[in-house]
Amino acid sequence: MIIGVCLKQVPASDSRIKIDGSGAGVDASDLKMEINPYDEFALEEALKLKDAKVAKKVIVLTVGGSDSEQRIRDALARGADDAVRLDDAAFAGSDSLGIARILAAAAQKEGVGLILAGKQAIDDDNSQVPAMVAELLGWPQVTVVDKLELDGGSFKAWRQSGGGVRDVVTGSLPAVISADKGMNTPRYAKLRGIMMAKRKKIPVYDAAALGLDPASVGAAGAKVTQVNWSEPPARPPGRILSGEVPSMVKELVTLLRDEAKVL
Amino acid sequence: MTDRLPLRDLQFLLEDVLQMKEVLQEGPYADHDVEGLRSMLEMAREMALEHFAPIADAMDAEEPRLVDGKVKLHPAAGPALQAFVDAGFVAAPHPAEHGGLDLPFAVHQCIQALFAAVNSPLLTYAGLTIAAAGLLDVHGSEELKAEWLAPLIEGRFFGTMALSEPHAGSSLADLRTKATPQPDGTYRLKGDKMWITGADQDFSENIVHFVLARLPGAPAGTRGISLFLVPKLLADDSGEYTVENDVRVAGINHKMGFRGSVNTVFSIGENQGAVGYLVGDENRGLHAMFHMMNEARIGVGLCAAALAWGGYRHALAYARERQQGRPVSLRDATRPQVPIIQHADVRRMLLEQKAIAEGALHLVLFSAMLVDRQRVALAAGDQAKAASVGLLLDTLTPIAKAWSSDHGLRASSGAIQVLGGSGYTRDFPVERLYRDNRLNPIHEGTNGIQAMDLLGRKILAKGGGMALMQALQDAIDRGSQEGPQSRVHAEQLSKAVETVASLTMGLAGVAQSDGPEVLLANATPYLHLVGHTVVAWMWLEQTMVAERQLAAGTGDADFLRGKLASARYFYAWELPKTAVWASVLNPVERTPLDVHADWL
């Protein structure tokens, strides 16, 4: 079985995000990018399945420009066998559904039998793409999975469904599984892996190669329009109380009750 | 937030100043490229912060213990080292034919700097193993290599170096450990070794000791010393390493710092004698050991520089956060306090640490890259180039070791000072970094020995003085064609070089007229003098690149201005100190020579 891992690059979680001058997006000029952390769990799970000889091959699927190659190579260095980069001028401005169409087409083209993806990307936090990919392919899906077992053509997945309740879902392959934190501990690359990854060819597929109608993806196919980007309002400064301890405690309780309304 | 291990500091040196790509073009390192090496450094940094840093305090607080004759390390040490091994850091510097990656030495030093800056003692186990494998690769017979090289390179077996003895530390000529030939071609060794790091531990499958000993009838002194491979465990009939060899840790040395790395009194062959195998030729053991000496000494300089750097980064972060006092011009107690980095004296302390740490890192990496350039030249069959690079390398090595450790320790002390009382407590790592760094002027040849090696052997006997002068003059010539600050520093450096040149000429005369005793009496101030001049050269090189990048608008302007400020500081505050050292060298100030032991 071939496992496809959907991998997106996102700004490093400790970056300071600035809105670009036109208010149409993020100013990426000084941003340090990294693999979306949830996608790292998906990748690790795929690599573990390959180590256990359940999967024959792990292929990384990334929608992105050449600036995402470094992240793809990072995944290759950790042990992914192959990667394809999905890039076309027509993909620009894709909404979640557009991205899902591209990924679904790539998964089909590569003969993928299981798709693993992060439960969400930490940049826009939409959590939509894996579910949409599953719908487009007509495959079963389980989201927010933190434990996965495969047995022949079936899977068993564990997920937190909130309130301390844990779901155990079984189903058949092919399927889409989205990974949550706690599923595993992502491995480091090996130095040898870094060297090998440098030499791997990363094919680039455009809309034509994927058999996609350019009008179904990118800005042309988008059903979601982003109107404007703005920074959140600045946080008001904190207050430091002074005086005798008993009066400060009294004041603090009053403030917590009347102003912060947390008591 | 202040980055504790900024890769930019290393990349600026490696890529922009030292032009690493030059050594990657052909020869042994041609499989590498700058981007791939950058990824390796990124991974090393992540791993250092996640695996090495968090356990450093605990390893310091809970020293290794001797339980029933076996050394027990802190339980977190083994898994962290395993992660280091698994990533390929032990194998990487070795040749591809033995399972390595032919990683350039300078890059491996950068990787080690990241680990050393947060947990040097833990890195030591791996460092010794890398050195042991290198020693075996160069000097071992094919038969020995077939059995022992792969497990060392794969990090399944760890290595140690057993040189010193209780009565023979700096003076290896007086070694007594005996090796007796056996009919089967092996040897039986008996003797007591001292200061042996990692002679036992509980995480590697086996330990391979490289032991210096004397054969029967060997000449006295250094020409009668042979090198032996002595395993902790020998193979049984089925080829499993289960048979205990006759070696035993007799005691653990309780040290001021570096507590996470176990240092032992090591007893060899108390019973029937320990089984050992000769490495290289008889009586050529010290020669084999010294073959590795440049790299080992650069490694110590690197450790010292990395510890100074780690402390500096910590002090910088603290100074940016810690609110205390108000500007001297604004003593209004109703105003909020300011971060201590707002005080000029704190910035002075930080500049001192930065100028030392980043200057020492540069010197060490420059020397490491000479190792690489020498290998590239040898691979290309260019013997003349290899010899000239080698001469400069030989000359800089004692400086890289001694200057970095003497002055790096000053930086480590400065980091404590920035934190004030907090820095003196075990709540912060800077006191541990200082204690760890205090080892570096001592081991791998004390700094006093380095100074004599520099002046007596490298500068005068081997003609390294000329090679060094040429390199300095070349930098001055280039610097005087660059930006305004580079031109000023080139001029200042030129004066310092004149001083070094005339003093060295004078000392050559002293050697002729008064002999080595007088010549070498004040070798230590000579090393400081030349060391400061060499590090000023390093700062000139950094200034040239920083000025160029600022003018071109490339690179982070604040980072580059920080480089220029550090260079300015070094030239204004440090370089003038050379005058004091010069004053006791010409004529040779005789108090240490003349003072009687009874008067002290």
Side-chain angles (χ1 to χ4, degrees), chain A residues 14 32-33 40 70-71 73-74 77-78 185-195 198-199, chain B residues 31-33 35-37 39-40 43 46-47 50-51 86-89 92 99-101 103 111:
Chain A
D14 57 356
K32 185 175 171 285
M33 306 301 277
E40 289 191 294
Q70 197 53 40
R71 261 51 63 189
R73 296 212 184 270
D74 184 3
R78 294 188 206 193
T185 307
R187 69 191 63 188
Y188 288 98
K190 293 189 191 312
L191 296 184
R192 182 175 299 283
I194 291 173
M195 284 183 72
K198 289 294 300 173
R199 295 190 194 125
Chain B
D31 264 358
H32 292 283
D33 59 30
E35 252 177 37
L37 296 174
S39 303
M40 292 181 188
M43 190 181 79
E46 216 171 292
M47 200 175 248
E50 278 180 29
H51 288 270
D86 288 346
F89 289 121
L101 297 178
L103 197 68
I111 287 172

Side-chain angles (χ1 to χ4, degrees), chain B residues 582-595:
Chain B
S583 71
V584 296
L585 288 163
N586 185 24
V588 171
E589 205 292 314
R590 291 190 55 100
T591 312
L593 269 171
D594 297 340
V595 69

